[in-house]
Amino acid sequence: DSSACAMAAFTALLCATFAFAKPETKYFDQKIDHFRYDLSTTFKQKYIVDDTFWDTNERNGPLMVYFGNEGEIEDFYDNSGAIFDIAKTFNAMVIFLEHRYYGDS
């Protein structure tokens, strides 16, 4: 019956959507000027680390860094499928850095 089929499709969609939990968004104190050693001013750099495909036992896989564009880093995390395909192939950890002047950074 069509309602049972629709319910099965909906359940499969929910399972696929929540198969991987989104990693926590974090912040660290980033230097504003890396060339002036007499200044110690910082800003809160927002980042996301996704180690879904990284070999956590060996801790020797490659790191892939995605440098943020003009927007919040979560939007790029949610819409950057190709980097995850590559990360899966190479057992890589993916780090997303938010651009200093966009989003919360």
Side-chain angles (χ1 to χ4, degrees):
D1 125 312
S2 64
S3 63
C5 190
M7 184 56 118
F10 178 72
T11 303
L13 177 63
L14 280 178
C15 290
T17 302
F18 296 105
F20 297 104
K22 180 189 261 185
E24 180 182 357
T25 300
K26 299 180 181 182
Y27 296 83
F28 72 96
D29 291 324
Q30 176 68 274
K31 288 183 71 165
I32 288 178
D33 190 334
H34 294 277
F35 300 102
R36 293 210 30 208
Y37 298 102
D38 59 327
L39 294 178
S40 60
T41 53
T42 62
F43 70 97
K44 294 290 186 186
Q45 172 92 53
K46 185 163 57 167
Y47 68 100
I48 299 172
V49 175
D50 189 318
D51 62 356
T52 302
F53 304 110
W54 199 49
D55 187 349
T56 55
N57 293 325
E58 294 295 322
R59 296 194 168 275
N60 64 358
L63 302 177
M64 300 174 69
V65 180
Y66 184 101
F67 292 97
N69 302 337
E70 294 82 7
E72 293 186 0
I73 200 64
E74 292 88 354
D75 293 339
F76 297 104
Y77 177 89
D78 291 337
N79 295 293
S80 299
I83 197 166
F84 295 110
D85 293 339
I86 297 167
K88 185 175 183 179
T89 299
F90 292 101
N91 298 321
M93 177 187 290
V94 182
I95 301 168
F96 284 78
L97 290 172
E98 186 170 81
H99 191 288
R100 176 179 169 194
Y101 296 110
Y102 295 93
D104 294 332
S105 291

